[in-house]
Amino acid sequence: MTGFFSSFGQKLHKKDLLQIEKQVYQSALKNYDIDVAKNAVYHIIELEGEQSQFMDTLAYIYYNQQQYLSCLKVTDKILKNEEKLPILELKAVSLENLNVPKEAIEVYEKIYQQKKEPYIAYKLAQLQQRIKRSAEAFETLKSAEGLKFPEKATITFPGIKKGEVQNVPFKAAFYNLMALTSYDLHDYDSAIKYFEEALKIYPDFLVAKQNKQAIELMKKKLESPDQPEKK
């Protein structure tokens, strides 16, 4: 009988501890004390095991604190047990910010298979272009061109003066990237066409204007090489 009561007491004690830690977590969130909330989450996971739903919470805490290596470690543990799309997205962004583009591309490709959205294609294509896989980047963007674009989403680009920024409509940024990948592939006519598409959407798009002018000038020089002087 002693063993039964000892076991029962331990279970009750564990249940009480779990309830207390969850209360601490909720109170810490109300007081915007993320460090205390994170400690409570660790205690909850210790009591519940790594199957705990609070593993997801821990991943989001690290992500929001921009602690990408810690976020990556937690997402890997979660994904060993279950593939969850939101956790895959956290892993992809963490890898991107840790500057490991090849690994980030692999994860973004998995996400894009499940979530056909222009923004996922854009992120994937950016990474592909960064490591000189511009043909893949262009095909990725082309596959998303006909999808529905978010109306109010913007991407930040440099402005006219140092330190200034432009919040460019996402679709204009998308066409700007299509233009850049076309340029990488030496398809200058297509590059100019996509820059024009970007500028139709956002005429003040400084980066697109400058890139278009540079390519037009280069194309003109290629088509009209300097003639040797006559003696």
Side-chain angles (χ1 to χ4, degrees):
M1 293 295 289
T2 304
F4 169 78
F5 283 114
S6 175
S7 174
F8 178 75
Q10 286 174 355
K11 287 180 181 178
L12 185 60
H13 181 57
K14 183 178 177 180
K15 184 179 178 182
D16 290 341
L17 283 175
L18 194 55
Q19 187 62 34
I20 290 167
E21 293 296 347
K22 287 182 178 180
Q23 288 172 354
V24 170
Y25 170 72
Q26 292 296 337
S27 296
L29 286 184
K30 287 177 184 176
N31 293 324
Y32 303 101
D33 193 333
I34 300 303
D35 288 333
V36 170
K38 184 165 62 179
N39 286 337
V41 168
Y42 266 109
H43 294 153
I44 293 166
I45 293 168
E46 187 66 29
L47 291 164
E48 290 186 334
E50 290 192 353
Q51 301 292 333
S52 171
Q53 291 299 311
F54 276 83
M55 286 288 287
D56 293 23
T57 305
L58 184 60
Y60 278 104
I61 289 173
Y62 280 131
Y63 175 78
N64 289 329
Q65 291 184 317
Q66 298 183 350
Q67 293 180 254
Y68 295 114
L69 183 57
S70 297
C71 183
L72 178 62
K73 295 289 186 184
V74 177
T75 57
D76 279 340
K77 286 182 181 178
I78 296 167
L79 294 167
K80 278 182 183 177
N81 297 316
E82 182 183 358
E83 188 164 291
K84 300 177 181 180
L85 187 57
I87 301 301
L88 269 177
E89 292 184 71
L90 295 187
K91 180 175 180 176
V93 176
S94 296
L95 287 166
E96 184 180 355
N97 280 279
L98 290 167
N99 200 28
V100 278
K102 286 184 180 179
E103 289 86 344
I105 284 169
E106 289 177 10
V107 181
Y108 271 117
E109 285 173 341
K110 280 186 182 180
I111 295 167
Y112 189 51
Q113 287 171 3
Q114 300 176 53
K115 192 176 179 181
K116 293 287 185 183
E117 292 183 359
Y119 184 71
I120 303 299
Y122 180 84
K123 295 292 288 182
L124 174 56
Q126 273 188 320
L127 290 164
Q128 289 169 328
Q129 192 210 20
R130 190 195 300 179
I131 61 169
K132 311 300 182 187
R133 285 160 55 176
S134 295
E136 287 178 44
F138 182 81
E139 289 304 317
T140 297
L141 293 167
K142 198 69 181 170
S143 73
E145 189 181 6
L147 299 175
K148 185 177 180 180
F149 281 70
E151 292 180 7
K152 295 181 180 180
T154 60
I155 302 287
T156 301
F157 283 84
I160 295 173
K161 295 179 182 178
K162 187 176 180 180
E164 287 186 349
V165 296
Q166 283 188 310
N167 292 316
V168 174
F170 171 63
K171 194 166 187 179
F174 186 93
Y175 278 121
N176 180 69
L177 188 55
M178 288 192 82
L180 292 173
T181 54
S182 297
Y183 170 77
D184 291 342
L185 298 169
H186 307 292
D187 186 350
Y188 305 127
D189 289 333
S190 291
I192 291 167
K193 179 185 79 172
Y194 289 123
F195 281 131
E196 287 172 347
E197 288 296 324
L199 290 165
K200 280 181 192 175
I201 297 164
Y202 189 61
D204 295 328
F205 191 173
L206 181 65
V207 169
K209 274 184 184 178
Q210 291 174 337
N211 287 336
K212 178 175 176 284
Q213 288 169 359
I215 292 174
E216 285 174 335
L217 182 61
M218 182 197 68
K219 189 168 176 281
K220 188 176 179 181
K221 285 182 178 179
L222 289 172
E223 291 172 350
S224 304
D226 293 336
Q227 296 295 324
E229 291 184 8
K230 293 182 179 178
K231 291 185 178 179

